[in-house]
Amino acid sequence: MKITSDKQVPQTGILNVFSLGAISLTWGHMLGYVSLWMLPITILLYAVGYGSEIRTVTELKSFSKN
């Protein structure tokens, strides 16, 4: 099995799995299906979902003097 490089990995869309989980838990909280004790997990899912959607790519600069 061939392992793909970073250039071959498809880009994620607007929402990822963590964002959808956070949205689902939010609706569960609003409708009363999920206990408020699960609120820290919901906030953590929002943070992870937002953090994995950032698409900035930083390149390492060489340390050679010009």
Side-chain angles (χ1 to χ4, degrees):
M1 179 168 78
K2 182 180 176 185
I3 298 175
T4 59
S5 68
D6 291 338
K7 296 178 182 176
Q8 295 174 345
V9 176
Q11 294 289 327
T12 59
I14 297 172
L15 297 175
N16 58 19
V17 174
F18 297 109
S19 299
L20 291 175
I23 291 169
S24 298
L25 281 175
T26 301
W27 275 102
H29 289 302
M30 289 191 301
L31 296 175
Y33 294 136
V34 178
S35 173
L36 286 178
W37 288 103
M38 301 291 283
L39 190 61
I41 294 175
T42 305
I43 295 169
L44 181 66
L45 281 176
Y46 271 114
V48 170
Y50 175 74
S52 55
E53 288 296 324
I54 298 174
R55 295 186 186 182
T56 57
V57 177
T58 57
E59 296 181 10
L60 295 176
K61 307 277 184 188
S62 64
F63 290 105
S64 64
K65 296 181 181 179
N66 292 331

